Amino acid sequence: MGKRRTWIAIAVAGWPLALAAQAVTDLPPVPVQAVRLDIPPFDLPAALSVVPVATRASGKPGVNLSEALVGVPGVLARDRQNYAQDEQLSIRGFGARASFGVRGVRLYVDGIPATMPDGQGQLSHIALAAADRVEVLRGPFSALYGNSSGGVVQVWTAAGGPVPVRTLEAFAGADASWHLDAAARGMAGPLDYNVALGQFRTNGYRAHSRAQRTSGNARLGFDLGNGRTLTVVLNTLAQPWTQDPLGLTRAQWRADPRQSVDAATAFDTRKRVQQQQLGATWRAEGEHDGVRLMGYAGQRAVDQVLSIPPVAQQSPLSAGGVIDLAGVYGGADARWTHRGQALGRPLEAVLGASWDAQDQHRRGYENFVGDVLGVAGALRRDERDRVQAFDQYAQLYWHVAERWALLLGARHSEVAFRTRDRYVTPGNPDDSGRVRYRATTPVAGLDYRPGAHLRLYASYGEGFETPTFNELGYRNDGGAGLALDLAPVRSRNGEVGLKWRPHDELGVELALFRADSRDELAVASSHDGRSTYRNVGRSRRQGAELSVDGELGAGWRLRLGLTWLDARFRSGFLACADTPCLAPDLRVPAGTRIPGVPRRYGALRLERGSDLGWRGGLELEGVGAVPVDDRNSATAPGYLRTGLDLGYGLALGGTRLHVSARVDNLFDRRITGSVIVNDGNGRYYEPAPGRSVTLGMRLEL
């Protein structure tokens, strides 16, 4: 009954308002670059959501990307309340098993990859204070982005305009949390600019979860004349200390969701991150042809103290309990676009190639010296890792008839991993090795336009997902070297959908989808701080998405996204009956649910008001029960979370002042915000905060 009430509440709140929509004034179209072609989102034979970043209007501090993704169907963005592990992000079930960061979903910021060539991505350097919109591409056409593209999320920084804008923002809330932002945006001759600096601190909802983050982002656009532009993007991130409270068992979560485990305190589990990145994009647009060249480079350093007990590090193969990771990365993308005609019908084609590489120096140390825990001790791991990807892609969009359009694409990817072991001892042999993966992924979509306000489409595509360096790092037979026997996950994706615009500023979309994968990855063992993986056979993710997004008239706006998703293993395999997991010994039958994926989830935001005067909003977020491991031994219960916000804006001469108040988890529900899938200690649960209040102020100069 609880699940049913959750979904009835969301549906009842959204549909009557959608049916009452009124026509509104046209707004200029949003430039969308999700498929690299000049196709309006309404005409695209794919599921694409374009979300304006307006977190401040909702009274949110703009710390996490999940704040901007409310009401986007197919997307499950979960704040772990643990800034040592980043947010949890999955799309249609892809990426749900990530224990930290984002994998299985491609991330981009201003066209620059935030996902490394091995498929592991990070969200922490995204500056929402400077962002203009987020584009979320789901389904078959995600494969056009290559490895680990179960979905694509792109964040775009706002360009500077002719009217200069200076903003100062301050937010404060529960657990001694506060966030400060300063930003400047405008134009100076041929230059447009957007610069933002931010500082965030929190004591954390849970014990031992303090965090600090300083970030900066700058976008500089240069008009070079004759259709040529240059855009330069710089960003920096510093997390000098971030405590890790670790997960909780179900009994611990029920007893006290704010606690951390003893191991977190004993070892002072924590993480430090430093990252700097520079990217540039040059474009030249002519009447029929265009060229785009993009290049980027960056460096990232991570120090992390884990809670691995000293006894578990006695094995000569142990990598220790302190991670010291430093590396550089970079890449380039070259693209040619042609616009013309074929058989008298409009046609647009793209040819391109991309190269991405990451080099990292990975060291591991014991996390103790004598009886002192949580400090770097003896060296236990020293290796040089490199991964690089070289891809070529082609796309064709042809309006074959008045009511029909065809979109075709293909991408060939080659991803190579190499490790050179520099820590070789009598009990720890040379772990050096290399492996290379190749795949060609075709996609095709057909769009039918029976009328000005309705689109019907069908699409199909193939995709692949290589293991990340973390999954290749250890062999499941206990031997030395990379897990060179791991195969990439291959998938076949199909989708049919409709898009309906009853009015210019209101859109309703429905999509039915299925993704069949083979060589799905699952945990083979997890103990002593080490997880190994193996391919376990076939899986299927299928479901439906519904979204309603737009103006309802009389100042009301609605964004509603509902998802039904059935994600299951289609092949039986062995999993571990107990934790820690030394070797799989329990049969998991075909039909078992894939962990980390709820059957139903959705969210809506209903708001009314404008920048000046009163503004208010209501948010509902519902998530069904989530299995926590491959054998579905337990679940995190579902929930319905309610948020309310109220704001007021006034003009003070040439200055505008906005103040806001927001209440999250209004009814103080006990919620598991996210789960750590297949945790080797059985600590699967990461609690979300109870009722909390955030106060904010924004000053526009």
Side-chain angles (χ1 to χ4, degrees), residues 118-205:
D118 67 341
Q120 187 73 46
Q122 303 290 334
L123 293 167
S124 52
H125 70 292
I126 294 176
L128 289 181
D132 173 59
R133 69 187 188 279
V134 182
E135 298 176 9
V136 182
L137 179 64
R138 310 177 296 283
F141 277 93
S142 301
L144 289 173
Y145 286 85
N147 178 29
S148 297
S149 53
V152 181
V153 177
Q154 302 200 61
V155 181
W156 295 95
T157 301
V163 179
V165 178
R166 312 286 185 268
T167 60
L168 296 173
E169 297 178 306
F171 291 85
D175 308 311
S177 300
W178 55 267
H179 187 206
L180 299 177
D181 269 316
R185 188 172 64 188
M187 297 184 69
L191 166 69
D192 73 85
Y193 59 89
N194 186 341
V195 180
L197 297 172
Q199 175 79 22
F200 168 69
R201 288 195 181 193
T202 180
N203 284 347
Y205 168 68

Side-chain angles (χ1 to χ4, degrees), residues 97 467 471-472 474-477 483 485-489 518-526 531-538 569 571-577 581-588 630-631 678:
R97 74 171 181 268
E471 292 160 339
L472 287 169
Y474 304 104
R475 289 167 44 177
N476 59 42
D477 62 2
D485 60 330
L486 289 181
V489 182
R518 68 179 189 271
D519 292 323
E520 186 76 43
L521 282 175
V523 171
S525 66
S526 181
S531 293
T532 67
Y533 298 84
R534 70 194 191 286
N535 299 103
V536 297
R538 297 182 179 273
F569 296 108
S571 301
F573 61 96
L574 293 178
C576 288
C581 169
L582 300 177
D585 55 2
L586 178 68
R587 184 71 179 175
V588 175
D630 289 338
R631 58 195 176 97
N678 290 317

Side-chain angles (χ1 to χ4, degrees), residues 1 8 22 148 159 204 248 304 425 460 599 616 635:
M1 289 299 294
I8 290 175
Q22 303 293 322
S148 297
L248 299 177
Q304 186 168 12
T425 68
Y460 169 84
R599 281 198 183 99
T635 61

